[in-house]
């Protein structure tokens, strides 16, 4: 009996076996994130409204229609407008800058789990209070500075692969990864494509729905996202005739992500480039992605993300890039139940292995991912293409690594790796293909 008072629409009480499944999923997600070398962060569930308007974008559905906002209370001496966070990336970027982590940590890798709020029309898989597990890599140097080289593209692959790992370990069926580029703010990149899309879509304007006709001027990329058959038909014809012409940097990001990620995805995860994929938040640049899974009906995105190389600077910080993802935990659980998957065990937090790239090649990174996929806690430096072995060993020792696995020029040529015991100092060369077995044997 509640005197007619019920939980608000689009919210859920969680108890009994559902609580246990939820908790097991949280443990799995944080366990995997720690295996990948990410540290936890919690930011407030509400923030200044301006934070979301500036980062997510004024012309997005989230900011225009879906925010839970508490207006200022000037009578109480509080002239701020607050909003329940609709997502967590903006809060993490704010915290990164507010605590000067760009100066003290350089590259930061965070994961978070917590409730998010969007005033959407509730339906299966779409809640007004839902939970996300997400991760962000912040502080990537996008252009060489002095003797510091630009960061490689490994970070962009890292977040996709970590998300895939969690979803795959959660036992989801029919996992699909779609990726695309949305270009960036450099002159001639996204703006050029936007104008071509605008012109081509305007030519078929009368066939588009009312919303899409308005979107041509306000946010043309959202037209590609419309599921109405007529709009879809017009967009398909336009995409076939307007090739994506993004800048060299955006192209290189995709070219790295696509072969490297495809090669390393867990078994059973399909991947495809999808030019229709755009995201509902404006901060993205370059590569974006989404995962879908079976058992979910129309709201089948279990997670998504991408890079946002302009946001740190837009929020008053230095010119540093970032990338990340978030998974919708309720949707992951729905899909897990549909797949009749049992709650999986989280990887145990065992001894740390440090993989050192002493040569600019994707091979050391691939080795690190294979160790992590086998449940071995593995750190890998995402901030530089390669470093000297001495520099790497200092880092490995600071992090408390048990073993360092080093791939330099010589090792790469020979298809080998050097395994170094960080306590005793002994080291030996092994076949790179045997690295996982060797590391397992040594860690016992
Ligand atoms: P997003 O695509 O808006 O991205 O949300 C990520 C996931 O949260 C979705 O794929 C979905 O599973 C879940 N989700 C979103 N809205 C709802 C809802 N109303 N009910 C249930 N689940 C929902 C972001 O939020 C970005 N911050 C991700 C990111 C991190 N990009 C870079 N870093």
């Amino acid at each position: 009996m509640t005197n007619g008072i019920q939980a608000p629409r689009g919210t859920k009480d969680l108890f009994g076996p559902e609580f246990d499944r939820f908790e097991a999923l949280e443990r799995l997600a944080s366990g995997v994130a720690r295996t990948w070398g990410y540290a936890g962060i919690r930011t407030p569930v509400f923030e200044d409204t301006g934070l979301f308007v500036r980062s997510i974008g004024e012309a997005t559905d989230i900011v225009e229609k879906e925010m839970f906002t508490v207006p200022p209370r000037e009578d109480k001496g509080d002239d701020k407008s607050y909003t329940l966070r609709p997502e967590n990336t903006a809060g993490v970027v704010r915290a990164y800058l507010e605590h000067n982590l760009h100066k003290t940590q350089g590259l930061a890798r965070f994961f978070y789990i917590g409730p998010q709020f969007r005033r959407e029309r509730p339906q299966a898989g779409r809640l007004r209070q839902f939970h996300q597990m997400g991760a962000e890599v912040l502080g990537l140097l996008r252009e060489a500075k002095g003797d510091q080289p630009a960061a490689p593209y490994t970070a962009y692959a890292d977040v996709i692969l970590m998300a895939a790992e969690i979803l795959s370990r959660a036992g989801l069926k029919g996992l699909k990864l779609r990726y695309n580029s949305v270009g960036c703010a450099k002159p001639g990149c996204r703006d050029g494509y936007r104008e071509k899309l605008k012109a081509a879509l305007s030519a078929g304007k009368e066939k588009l729905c009312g919303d899409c006709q308005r979107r041509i001027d306000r946010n043309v990329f959202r037209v590609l996202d419309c599921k109405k058959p007529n709009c879809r038909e017009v967009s398909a014809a336009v995409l076939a005739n307007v090739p994506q012409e993004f800048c060299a940097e955006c192209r290189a990001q995709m070219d790295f992500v696509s072969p490297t990620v495809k090669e390393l995805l867990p078994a059973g995860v399909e991947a495809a480039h999808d030019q229709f994929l755009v995201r509902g938040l404006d901060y993205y640049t370059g590569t974006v992605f989404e995962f879908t899974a079976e058992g979910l009906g129309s709201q089948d995105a279990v997670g998504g993300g991408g890079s946002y190389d302009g946001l740190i600077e837009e929020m008053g910080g230095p010119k540093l890039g970032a990338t990340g993802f978030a998974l919708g935990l309720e949707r992951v659980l729905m899909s897990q139940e549909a797949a009749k998957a049992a709650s999986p065990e989280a990887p145990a937090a065992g001894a740390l292995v440090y993989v050192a790239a002493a040569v600019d090649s994707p091979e050391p990174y691939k080795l690190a991912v294979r160790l992590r996929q086998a449940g071995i806690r593995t750190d890998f430096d995402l901030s530089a293409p390669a470093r000297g072995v001495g520099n790497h060993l200092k880092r490995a020792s600071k992090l408390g690594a048990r073993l360092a696995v080093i791939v330099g020029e010589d090792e790469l040529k020979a298809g080998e790796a050097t395994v170094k015991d960080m306590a005793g100092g002994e080291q030996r060369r092994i076949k790179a293909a045997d690295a996982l077995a060797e590391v397992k044997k040594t860690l016992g």
Side-chain angles (χ1 to χ4, degrees):
M1 288 294 119
T2 58
N3 287 335
I5 298 177
Q6 293 178 331
R9 275 183 74 213
T11 68
K12 270 179 84 168
D13 297 313
L14 197 63
F15 54 90
E18 226 187 329
F19 181 96
D20 297 342
R21 290 178 74 90
F22 199 94
E23 202 185 36
L25 179 59
E26 286 179 318
R27 266 202 308 271
L28 171 73
S30 54
V32 169
R34 288 195 182 279
T35 303
W36 288 60
Y38 288 59
I41 187 167
R42 272 189 205 164
T43 63
V45 290
F46 66 95
E47 300 266 3
D48 272 18
T49 301
L51 174 70
F52 302 119
V53 177
R54 274 174 65 186
S55 57
I56 299 171
E58 241 163 316
T60 58
D61 284 353
I62 297 182
V63 168
E64 272 187 348
K65 309 182 207 159
E66 297 168 3
M67 300 220 286
F68 281 103
T69 297
V70 183
R73 301 237 355 219
E74 269 145 33
D75 56 325
K76 303 268 188 232
D78 190 347
D79 61 356
K80 294 255 183 200
S81 160
Y82 299 111
T83 293
L84 290 178
R85 62 183 185 201
E87 58 98 58
N88 221 153
T89 308
V92 170
V93 174
R94 180 202 48 69
Y96 174 75
L97 292 173
E98 189 167 329
H99 302 288
N100 276 319
L101 302 181
H102 55 298
K103 292 191 187 137
T104 54
Q105 292 200 356
L107 192 86
R109 288 169 300 169
F110 284 124
F111 76 90
Y112 50 82
I113 300 182
Q116 319 292 334
F117 307 84
R118 295 185 194 177
R119 202 165 193 155
E120 299 192 70
R121 194 170 47 77
Q123 65 181 83
R126 200 204 267 154
L127 295 158
R128 289 182 161 182
Q129 174 174 339
F130 58 99
H131 295 76
Q132 284 185 343
M133 178 276 170
E136 315 289 345
V137 180
L138 307 139
L140 297 159
L141 197 60
R142 293 299 347 128
E143 279 163 25
K145 198 170 147 195
D147 56 2
Q148 270 179 283
Y153 299 114
T154 40
Y156 302 118
D158 213 50
V159 291
I160 304 178
L161 290 166
M162 195 211 300
E165 178 72 8
I166 295 168
L167 296 171
S168 154
R169 280 182 182 249
L172 271 52
K173 290 216 176 109
L175 273 171
K176 289 200 177 94
L177 163 69
R178 296 182 300 139
Y179 58 88
N180 193 16
S181 181
V182 295
C184 71
K186 281 199 210 93
C189 187
R190 182 189 306 171
D191 56 0
Y193 184 52
R194 183 194 286 127
E195 290 316 308
K196 284 184 193 153
L197 272 185
K198 268 188 182 178
L201 285 166
S202 298
K205 194 169 178 175
E206 65 289 350
K207 283 201 203 140
L208 296 174
C209 72
D211 279 344
C212 283
Q213 293 194 4
R214 278 189 296 279
R215 284 178 186 136
I216 291 183
D217 288 320
R218 278 182 71 71
N219 197 345
V220 69
F221 294 106
R222 299 293 298 174
V223 176
L224 305 180
D225 204 27
C226 185
K227 303 284 180 294
K228 298 202 178 86
N230 275 359
C231 299
R232 197 82 189 170
E233 199 182 301
V234 175
S235 297
V238 165
L239 285 182
N241 291 314
V242 182
Q244 287 185 333
E245 276 168 11
F246 294 132
C247 70
E249 162 87 14
C250 286
R251 281 204 308 275
Q253 214 185 85
M254 279 267 285
D255 289 346
F256 179 84
V257 165
S258 122
T260 309
V261 167
K262 276 189 177 167
E263 189 183 328
L264 293 169
L265 278 172
V269 184
E270 275 176 37
H273 179 194
D274 179 357
Q275 287 197 56
F276 284 103
L277 178 68
V278 292
R279 307 261 305 128
L281 307 104
D282 279 357
Y283 50 61
Y284 291 110
T285 53
T287 311
V288 294
F289 58 91
E290 236 165 62
F291 284 95
T292 53
E294 274 173 26
L296 287 168
S298 65
Q299 302 300 315
D300 64 349
V302 283
S307 41
Y308 46 99
D309 286 341
L311 188 56
I312 294 178
E313 195 181 12
E314 236 162 74
M315 292 190 23
K319 203 172 173 187
L320 291 171
T323 184
F325 73 85
L327 307 177
L329 297 187
E330 286 83 0
R331 291 191 193 170
V332 175
L333 281 174
M334 277 170 76
S335 177
Q336 196 183 53
E337 273 172 51
K340 298 202 168 41
S343 287
E345 285 295 315
L352 181 71
V353 174
Y354 182 97
V355 174
V359 60
D360 185 0
S361 149
E363 294 311 313
Y365 176 67
K366 291 182 191 170
L367 204 155
V369 172
R370 293 198 174 104
L371 295 181
R372 292 156 160 179
Q373 288 173 335
I376 294 162
R377 198 155 65 88
T378 306
D379 211 285
F380 185 86
D381 178 15
L382 300 169
S383 67
R387 289 183 191 278
V389 174
N391 188 309
H392 272 306
L393 291 178
K394 252 192 234 148
R395 285 165 176 257
S397 141
K398 206 166 144 205
L399 290 165
R402 256 296 295 287
L403 290 179
V405 180
I406 304 153
V407 182
E409 188 108 36
D410 280 0
E411 285 94 343
L412 187 70
K413 274 194 200 128
E416 295 180 348
T418 298
V419 179
K420 184 178 173 78
D421 185 304
M422 292 300 293
E426 317 79 64
Q427 61 181 56
R428 60 189 188 284
R429 287 274 283 258
I430 56 160
K431 288 259 150 256
D434 298 337
L436 174 60
E438 281 287 329
V439 166
K440 273 190 174 162
K441 201 168 79 195
T442 317
L443 294 182

